[in-house]
Amino acid sequence: MYKTINGKNLRYDEYGVNNSDHILFIHGLGSSSLVWRDFPEALSRRYHTITIDLIGFGESDKPKEDYTISFLSKFIKDFINEMGFGPREKISIIGHSLGGYIAIDFAIANRERVDKLILFDSSGLLKNPTPLLSDYLNAVKTIDPVLRRERITKVLGSLYSDPSRLLPIIVDFFIYFIEKPGALEAFESAFINSTSTSIDSKKIKKIENLRCLIIWGEKDKLIPMSFAEKFKQLLSTAEIEIIKDAGHAPFVEKPSIVYQRLIDFLQ
């Protein structure tokens, strides 16, 4: 399904529409709503769940813009308004990587609208790209299609605790989306903005009492586990869950463990 936001088409899916508690899933850099796999539908037994393709990614429009965190966060706010949520109606947000950074920015600016916050291996505290993040950008910008696939496959495999868990169809989808007109430009802009800026430690105090769960893959090579503790220092009341034998997307590698942790926290 699509919503027109500020003249641009934003793709989304929703499940459990008759449930009164709302959850929004926000994916990471270069990804799409497909990354969440069965989680939104599984949680829809108890919650109204919504997944989106961020503007510039997936099947959403890819306008020529400066993809700052505030730009992406504003689109989230406008999308929620377009979905018909009232000004006092709260929503929980689950954000992965770049999506976590966007979720935090949204929560800081719209504290009264956020019920709970769940961050998976979130960006937002980087001062510069990690080596694997730099490899990620270089792989995406590779011109030769054969070499590009080879490099993308290597990088995506490195996001897992065990690279053999990477399915070929994940590479196919990634390349399909990144070859869409405007996708590479959006990727690079979001990359530059998200790896060269950090969350304001003073502003984040606005949400330090917000119920928050930080989930991290023990073997994350893209944004190392040490950043989970850095977030904990800023969000002192947050809970932390480290998922063993998991990389940058623990909900992909350890879905059963993560699903139960989400249920426990959301309830």
Side-chain angles (χ1 to χ4, degrees), residues 247-264:
H248 188 61
F251 51 89
V252 172
E253 291 188 86
K254 301 294 178 179
S256 297
I257 295 171
V258 170
Y259 177 77
Q260 188 57 54
R261 189 65 181 91
L262 290 180
I263 288 294
D264 293 343

Side-chain angles (χ1 to χ4, degrees), residues 224-257:
M225 191 176 66
S226 58
F227 282 92
E229 286 299 331
K230 292 180 181 180
F231 271 109
K232 174 65 175 176
Q233 291 171 11
L234 295 173
L235 298 167
S236 58
T237 62
E239 301 173 33
I240 291 185
E241 187 77 22
I242 303 301
I243 308 298
K244 294 182 178 180
D245 190 27
H248 188 61
F251 51 89
V252 172
E253 291 188 86
K254 301 294 178 179
S256 297
I257 295 171

Side-chain angles (χ1 to χ4, degrees), residues 172-185:
D172 293 340
F173 269 121
F174 185 93
I175 293 174
Y176 167 75
F177 286 132
I178 205 65
E179 289 182 345
K180 285 182 171 291
L184 177 56
E185 292 78 8

Side-chain angles (χ1 to χ4, degrees), residues 206-241:
K206 293 181 180 179
I207 62 168
E208 63 181 351
N209 293 321
L210 178 65
R211 280 208 64 202
C212 178
L213 173 62
I214 299 167
I215 302 180
W216 223 275
E218 180 188 32
K219 297 183 179 179
D220 189 346
K221 304 178 194 73
L222 194 75
I223 306 178
M225 191 176 66
S226 58
F227 282 92
E229 286 299 331
K230 292 180 181 180
F231 271 109
K232 174 65 175 176
Q233 291 171 11
L234 295 173
L235 298 167
S236 58
T237 62
E239 301 173 33
I240 291 185
E241 187 77 22

